[in-house]
Amino acid sequence: MKNNSLLRALPNTDDVLAAPELTGALASLPRPVVLDAIRAVIHDARVRILAGENVDYSVQEAARDAAGRAALASRPSLRRAINATGIIVHTNLGRSVLSEAAAKAVAEVATHYSTLEYDVESGERGSRHVHCEELLCRLTGAEAAMAVNNNAAAVMIGLAELARGKEAIVSRGQLVEIGGSFRIPDIMRESGATMVEVGTTNKTHLRDYESALTSNTGLLLKVHSSNYRVVGFTAEVSVRELVELGAPHGVPVMEDQGSGVLFDLTRYGLPHEPTVGESVAQGAAVVTCSGDKLLGGPQAGILVGRHDVISRLKKHPMARALRLDKMTLAALEATLRVCLEEERAVQDIPTLRMLTMGIDESRVLAQRLADRVREAIGSGGEVRVVDDIARAGGGALPVTDIPTAVVAVTPATMSVDSLETSIRCGAQPAIVARVKDGRLLIDPRTLVSGEEHDIVVRRLGEILSAGV
Ligand SMILES: *Cc1c(COP(=O)(O)O)cnc(C)c1O
């Protein structure tokens, strides 16, 4: 057929819209989205005809294409993904996965009215701070606590309240950058504090802080080097020493603890990471940390410390701008409640379970997964269990190798890079895995459920058994 007659033969929008192939899409997706999809597939066909292609496009075909296109366009942008990397607090994949208790608490307050700022006993207005404060105090030994949007916000409000218009002294070894946009010197400037750097990159002594102390000093700041380590010839000053130095001058100490570790991790064969409680016990006026790193909760910034200081922070004008919404508060409260019992916390909070999983358990999981993958792919590739390294991620425990066992897949008829792309882009949910030494590595440590094992097995089976 000639160009013109092909163009004239193209189906029209109304006919496609009425085709049975689109009934399902119209029932589940917004009509304008389906209409856009129909117009788009007809437009594409027209372009191909004009380019000289012999396109005979039926109504049914157009409807099928439009249904696919509408479904793709309606896919949430923020959607589930499977983390098979072994990087536990994977910042790009959403950091911590909530425990079941936390997810349930979120759903409950999201779909009902709640006691967010209502005191049921008195029938009067309450405070949103009460929901997590007692739990945080109990878990850290602090007198008072509050939670804000994230740890960056916690540091910001702490600096703004305690050091605006004054000097804040910090060691040159602790001028950290976290994920690009959180940098101590920048936060300092934005909070209105004047940063006074003391010491050197590797060594800072008490006398360095002492000689920088003036009548205009508002704060002594300590920042935990959570995402890097200074090793070798090093020295830093403890929170306790800073507290003793500042006390006679009425200068408080704030520590940015970062990771939000509440338990002694050495019990699980991990290196010692200072807990929030340890900093509190050393007398810091305020300690800040994240809610979604090693605490395993939602994105939040936690501030614990002295009653008088936390009261001032709650009244700071920025507190409103940085406050937590009810869903996050519900998730945080539920997470903290699970933390009251450490044995339960390391079982029920996914981040803690993955972090404290021993190599033996990891090998059992990997072996079981490998057997299933081998069966699913047949001669489509070679499957082995190999020892590898998992990471805490999220800038925590940066130099800690966590021994882990992974399933290593070497595809028989395709490159390992195309296999990696296929499991990531080929279907939903995306499976994110690592490629190392020509093999695809699946670390079952960071798979959150048996269902995710099933998806991995099925997807690898579909891709690799088909290629043989
Ligand atoms: C992660 C981290 C931050 C930033 O915390 P967010 O919760 O991501 O805002 C700040 N300081 C330290 C030391 C950190 O480790």
Side-chain angles (χ1 to χ4, degrees):
M1 272 197 282
K2 293 239 335 256
N3 246 353
N4 276 345
S5 44
L6 280 172
L7 286 173
R8 264 197 308 280
L10 275 175
N12 70 47
T13 310
D14 287 342
D15 291 345
V16 180
L17 193 60
E21 284 81 358
L22 272 174
T23 315
L26 281 166
S28 59
L29 304 175
R31 193 180 168 86
V33 172
V34 179
L35 276 170
D36 280 354
I38 295 172
R39 292 194 188 106
V41 297
I42 295 174
H43 173 79
D44 285 356
R46 178 173 292 119
V47 169
R48 279 162 56 203
I49 292 168
L50 291 173
E53 263 184 73
N54 188 6
V55 179
D56 181 11
Y57 206 36
S58 70
V59 169
Q60 287 71 30
E61 228 178 314
R64 263 196 305 273
D65 288 352
R69 202 156 170 140
L72 209 61
S74 304
R75 196 174 65 171
S77 168
L78 176 57
R79 55 187 187 267
R80 173 182 173 184
I82 292 179
N83 176 9
T85 64
I87 299 164
I88 298 164
V89 182
H90 198 306
T91 295
N92 301 138
L93 298 180
R95 283 201 181 161
S96 282
V97 171
L98 292 184
S99 63
E100 260 170 53
K104 221 171 114 196
V106 172
E108 179 86 356
V109 303
T111 55
H112 300 86
Y113 289 102
S114 64
T115 57
L116 180 63
E117 289 186 357
Y118 187 75
D119 181 42
V120 175
E121 267 68 53
S122 67
E124 283 168 16
R125 183 182 175 157
S127 157
R128 70 175 64 210
H129 292 301
V130 303
H131 308 299
C132 293
E133 180 156 20
E134 236 183 83
L135 288 163
L136 282 168
C137 291
R138 201 159 147 189
L139 288 163
T140 65
E143 294 171 10
M146 70 186 282
V148 292
N149 181 59
N150 57 13
N151 188 25
V155 176
M156 182 77 156
I157 195 171
L159 285 172
E161 175 60 41
L162 301 170
R164 183 187 294 280
K166 297 189 195 156
E167 291 166 0
I169 305 178
V170 61
S171 159
R172 288 199 172 86
Q174 298 170 1
L175 299 178
V176 311
E177 169 176 317
I178 312 279
S181 53
F182 178 90
R183 309 175 96 197
I184 292 294
D186 300 345
I187 294 274
M188 211 47 111
R189 183 167 4 85
E190 288 306 314
S191 71
T194 304
M195 184 167 77
V196 176
E197 302 169 34
V198 295
T200 62
T201 306
N202 56 327
K203 280 204 172 200
T204 303
H205 306 280
L206 189 60
R207 60 175 185 274
D208 295 324
Y209 290 90
E210 209 168 353
S211 52
L213 209 62
T214 71
S215 58
N216 198 29
T217 304
L219 185 70
L220 300 173
L221 176 67
K222 179 158 183 182
V223 185
H224 183 49
S225 60
S226 53
N227 59 357
Y228 67 105
R229 290 286 182 264
V230 180
V231 293
F233 188 59
T234 65
E236 62 172 22
V237 180
S238 70
V239 168
R240 178 165 285 122
E241 291 170 288
L242 292 178
V243 169
E244 280 163 11
L245 174 68
H249 307 274
V251 175
V253 174
M254 176 162 102
E255 176 167 43
D256 176 5
Q257 187 271 353
S259 66
V261 171
L262 296 176
F263 307 118
D264 177 8
L265 295 179
T266 59
R267 252 169 271 173
Y268 307 96
L270 293 160
H272 178 255
E273 178 78 358
T275 65
V276 181
E278 282 169 30
S279 302
V280 170
Q282 289 188 49
V286 191
V287 184
T288 76
C289 67
S290 292
D292 56 355
K293 290 184 181 172
L294 300 188
L295 198 128
Q299 179 192 305
I302 288 161
L303 298 118
V304 299
R306 258 168 37 199
H307 192 273
D308 59 322
V309 177
I310 298 292
S311 302
R312 282 163 60 194
L313 292 174
K314 285 178 185 166
K315 291 190 209 103
H316 194 281
M318 238 192 246
R320 170 64 185 255
L322 303 178
R323 77 182 184 183
L324 284 182
D325 79 298
K326 61 187 175 189
M327 290 180 280
T328 307
L329 271 171
L332 185 59
E333 183 189 348
T335 305
L336 294 171
R337 227 170 262 293
V338 174
C339 285
L340 290 176
E341 196 181 321
E342 182 176 331
E343 295 72 30
R344 232 185 98 199
V346 297
Q347 275 313 308
D348 292 358
I349 297 179
T351 296
L352 294 177
R353 184 175 63 231
M354 294 166 186
L355 190 68
T356 59
M357 181 190 289
I359 180 68
D360 292 342
E361 188 183 349
S362 162
R363 284 203 186 110
V364 170
L365 287 181
Q367 194 57 58
R368 221 179 278 157
L369 183 63
D371 290 345
R372 294 182 60 196
V373 171
R374 201 173 288 125
E375 192 180 339
I377 69 175
S379 55
E382 195 199 343
V383 182
R384 288 197 179 176
V385 172
V386 298
D387 284 350
D388 205 75
I389 301 297
R391 297 271 172 209
L397 302 170
V399 293
T400 302
D401 290 349
I402 301 171
T404 200
V406 300
V407 177
V409 182
T410 315
T413 57
M414 64 165 70
S415 75
V416 68
D417 288 331
S418 4
L419 176 60
E420 188 277 327
T421 310
S422 295
I423 61 164
R424 183 159 44 81
C425 307
Q428 293 301 316
I431 300 172
V432 184
R434 287 186 291 139
V435 169
K436 189 172 157 191
D437 302 331
R439 298 189 287 201
L440 182 83
L441 303 188
I442 305 278
D443 191 336
R445 178 181 297 266
T446 47
L447 300 181
V448 301
S449 63
E451 186 215 1
E452 295 201 342
H453 287 244
D454 298 346
I455 296 172
V456 167
V457 170
R458 197 177 336 119
R459 193 82 62 74
L460 285 170
E462 280 160 11
I463 297 165
L464 291 171
S465 65
V468 185

